[in-house]
Amino acid sequence: AFTGQAGTFTADTVRQGAPMRSFTHYTYGLTTYGGEDYLGRSESGGDWVPLVGPLAGSTGKPGLEFAYVDVDGNTTTTADEIARVDVILRSHSRVIDSDGNPVVDSLSASIFVRN
């Protein structure tokens, strides 16, 4: 049922049984769970759900880091110039290495802006 949208979805635009696409807006960011930082998400301003973690910085670097890069490979803070977003997650485990430090690992991804 498309309450209040009858003009948009007339009988000739969406046939019964036809596939339809839908989407959900999520906001991603840091959240705290059990006193530790996690990468989490929130759906439409709802409660935060932890996804990845616990996150921990190493050698003075944060557990979650973003870099906004223009077409020439330079960092930028101007939204219209962003061509790529680099994301780095640094997590730690409860496993201790031979020096007595928690084992830390990282994951990085580059997201290229379309259009």
Side-chain angles (χ1 to χ4, degrees), residues 72-89:
D72 297 322
N74 302 313
T75 58
T76 184
T77 57
T78 306
D80 291 343
E81 295 177 358
I82 298 172
R84 184 182 84 222
V85 178
D86 294 334
V87 181
I88 300 173
L89 285 169

Side-chain angles (χ1 to χ4, degrees), residues 2 8-21:
F2 299 104
T8 304
F9 297 102
T10 60
D12 65 342
T13 59
V14 179
R15 305 230 184 256
Q16 183 174 357
M20 293 183 57
R21 295 182 189 196

Side-chain angles (χ1 to χ4, degrees), residues 31-53:
T31 186
T32 303
Y33 178 76
E36 296 184 284
D37 289 336
Y38 280 77
L39 173 65
R41 78 173 181 202
S42 172
E43 181 180 340
S44 301
D47 292 337
W48 282 90
V49 177
L51 299 174
V52 179

